[in-house]
Amino acid sequence: MSLLLFGAGLYLVLTRPHALWLLIGLELLLNAAAPLLVSAASAEAITLLFVLLFFALLEAAAALFLFYCYARYTHTLSLAELPAL
């Protein structure tokens, strides 16, 4: 299951030009270890799972805020129109 999540996340990150698909792919990559931690079922593994989910929540909140600001600036979420600096 973890390999499937990691592969799907890698596919989305490498092939999709849309910013929200990029975020979904990054979340899948970050959370790919979760099924392994659940199957370990030790106290340390469950604690690490909660830490992983906490950082995934922080990353998603920051990314959505940046995507919101980018969408207001460009009126689109397509990364193909990302201005070069």
Side-chain angles (χ1 to χ4, degrees), residues 2-34:
S2 291
L3 187 60
L4 180 68
L5 287 174
F6 188 82
L10 191 62
Y11 173 76
L12 288 175
V13 167
L14 294 178
T15 61
R16 303 292 183 195
H18 199 273
L20 290 179
W21 283 112
L22 180 69
L23 174 63
I24 292 169
L26 289 174
E27 286 295 322
L28 285 174
L29 285 172
L30 181 63
N31 294 326

Side-chain angles (χ1 to χ4, degrees), residues 15-82:
T15 61
R16 303 292 183 195
H18 199 273
L20 290 179
W21 283 112
L22 180 69
L23 174 63
I24 292 169
L26 289 174
E27 286 295 322
L28 285 174
L29 285 172
L30 181 63
N31 294 326
L36 295 174
L37 292 171
V38 169
S39 67
S42 67
E44 293 86 8
I46 299 301
T47 303
L48 187 58
L49 176 66
F50 283 132
V51 169
L52 182 123
L53 292 176
F54 174 73
F55 283 114
L57 178 67
L58 287 179
E59 184 255 340
L64 286 174
F65 173 73
L66 291 174
F67 290 156
Y68 171 73
C69 293
Y70 175 71
R72 286 187 61 201
Y73 178 71
T74 62
H75 304 292
T76 183
L77 280 176
S78 175
L79 295 178
E81 298 178 17
L82 186 66

